Amino acid sequence: MILDNINSPTDLKKLSISELPVVAQEIREGLFNRLTKIGGHFGPNFGFVEATIALHYVFDSPKDKFVFDVSHQSYAHKMLTGRKAGYFDDSRFSEDSGYTNPDESEHDFFNIGHTSTSIALALGLAKGRDVLGEKENIIAIIGDGSLSGGEAMEALSVAGSELNSNFIIVVNDNEQAIAETHGGIYKNLKALRDSKGKAENNWFTAFGLDYYYEENGNDIASLIKVFEKVKDINHPVVVHIHTQKGKDYALAEKDKEGWHWCVPFDRATGKPTGTFAGGESYFGMTSQYIVEKAKKDRDFVVVTPAMPMSVGLGPAERELLGRQYIDTGIAEEAAVAIASGIARRGAKPLVVTNMTFLQRAYDQISQDVCINKTPVTMLMNYSSFDGLTDVTHLGIFGLAAFTNIPNLVVLCPSSAEEYISMLDWSIDQKENPVLILIPGNDVSHRPADKNYSAMNRFKIEEQGEKVAILALGDFFQKGEEVVAAIKEKCGFTPTLINPRFASGLDEALLRELEKDHQLVITLEDGILEGGFGQKIASFYGPEKMLVKNYGLEKKFYDRYNPAELLHDCGMTAEQIVEDVRKSVQL
């Protein structure tokens, strides 16, 4: 295998151009080996193999610097920069993250998993180079889907007007984001593709950027020619290449959306392997609810910043929603502001995405929604500690971030019935902006209230004594486990409370607990600092009540084992019972 002898880009440059397609085949075998066994980003990596080889063949990494947008297309780059063992040696899969990572290699410059960032980051590298009087090529690599993000457009504007030195932007155009692309820029990209880069209107040149187009984005020889033209260029330039997402795997070429990311699968059939939970899930429940709600209520509108599948809205569901659906592209800021306008006009917007991406719209939530008290409902997936575990995609900071915005009601359902009831109430009410966290645990069932207009009312699910356990959202079931353990090990029944509201306190209930409780325990699925538990502890600060908060540290965890993390944070039922023994007079 030729790849056996490639341990750095220097080794790649020793090959003839005619040998490079063989390297591409071998890289894809490495991709298949890793992805069939542990899953990961499929389509982005398979489509960018040839471009990666050509980039490393022409430029001189790490002196010349590549910045990958999202960096979920960097697997081939890793194989060519000394990390191929993470793809061919099953015992070493964990050595490589799914994204670029400076801790892994001098060929990586940023740990990136969010979109639309590469042009701005690379532009900063270029400006820093110029200030220091150095000379090297700076290359930003960005997919067409990522161009809809505001940061990418802002950086293009700066690059086209404020930088007068070497800067190369490679636009990987595969006609696809995760789902289909949305937004006016894609009309222009299509015109450029159809005209082989000669369209009269060119939004890159409108920004003041030089421009090259290469139709054969999966042909290494063609790519080498265009990259050689722009190497050492003395001004900013866009190289627009047309590629095939999921190339050389027929199933992925046909279903680009479905194969953007994959679980472990059988190569011959494409079907998932191993054991994957089936049956009832909050994921399936949500998409079904949305479609049914749209049928019954024509004022209902779903708004998503390019993340329809965060709540299971596949192509069929999106077609059913019709005019009651809008995809803003990768533009959380615009999605939230648009939803505020929809609500102000009298319709009923529901914004759906993953918690890790909502932080890009913090200002719009605060300014455009909460100051104006527009009744926007925002529904967030993957806010749990055992959801997405890559450092770039953690949702565990959401509670601390958003529960401290005035006027925003943050609801944390603890069962299927409570989840649907909260959605129904929030979408139909006209008084408050509401953020709802989709539970991250297995579906549970328990009767729930229908109306949540009485703000910050906690619910006692089991009355007891001595210890009160406030178990928030999808940690309610952990609260039930702790109650059972205390009954068994300590011989008394604690009080179990379902807070429901994470953004405010039920002061009357908390005062009532002081009469016959010694200890209040809080359990939350997020970091402790700035979170729900600290609000409880602050309330009891001047009083005799003992408070023990259980949650996660304010820390960037990365690729952790969720069960081990709970233990490390002292959050198992056994550990909590031991704390109770030390704190309470039995």
Side-chain angles (χ1 to χ4, degrees), residues 25-39 42 46 75 79 87-88 93 246-250 252 259 265-268:
Q25 293 174 5
E26 293 175 356
I27 286 175
R28 285 195 170 89
E29 287 304 311
L31 293 175
F32 271 121
N33 186 60
R34 180 183 174 102
L35 292 169
T36 55
K37 293 171 181 174
I38 65 171
F42 190 100
F46 270 71
Y75 293 6
M79 285 192 229
Y87 299 84
F88 290 95
F93 285 157
K247 181 173 172 56
D248 284 353
Y249 190 55
W259 283 90
F265 67 96
D266 177 77
R267 181 172 175 176

Side-chain angles (χ1 to χ4, degrees), residues 279-289 311-312:
E280 192 176 29
S281 71
Y282 287 107
F283 186 76
M285 188 186 305
T286 304
S287 61
Q288 182 180 356
Y289 170 86
V311 292

Side-chain angles (χ1 to χ4, degrees), residues 290 300-304 348-352 377-379 423 427:
I290 288 173
F300 174 63
V301 184
V302 178
V303 183
T304 184
K348 302 173 182 179
L350 175 68
V351 178
V352 297
T377 301
M378 292 167 281
L379 183 59
L423 268 175
I427 291 168

Side-chain angles (χ1 to χ4, degrees), residues 241-356:
I241 65 175
H242 187 203
T243 63
Q244 171 68 59
K245 190 170 186 177
K247 181 173 172 56
D248 284 353
Y249 190 55
L251 293 172
E253 290 182 2
K254 182 179 180 180
D255 181 10
K256 294 179 182 179
E257 181 174 349
W259 283 90
H260 175 78
W261 185 88
C262 67
V263 297
F265 67 96
D266 177 77
R267 181 172 175 176
T269 65
K271 294 181 178 179
T273 56
T275 56
F276 297 94
E280 192 176 29
S281 71
Y282 287 107
F283 186 76
M285 188 186 305
T286 304
S287 61
Q288 182 180 356
Y289 170 86
I290 288 173
V291 171
E292 291 178 355
K293 176 68 174 175
K295 288 179 182 177
K296 293 183 291 186
D297 189 343
R298 304 304 292 174
D299 296 339
F300 174 63
V301 184
V302 178
V303 183
T304 184
M307 287 299 297
M309 286 304 292
S310 65
V311 292
L313 296 177
E317 289 79 13
R318 300 196 293 267
E319 185 175 352
L320 287 172
L321 290 172
R323 69 177 185 87
Q324 292 173 269
Y325 173 80
I326 180 170
D327 188 328
T328 64
I330 300 171
E332 287 80 7
E333 296 166 273
V336 169
I338 288 167
S340 185
I342 291 170
R344 176 63 74 211
R345 188 60 183 82
K348 302 173 182 179
L350 175 68
V351 178
V352 297
T353 188
N354 290 350
M355 177 61 84
T356 184

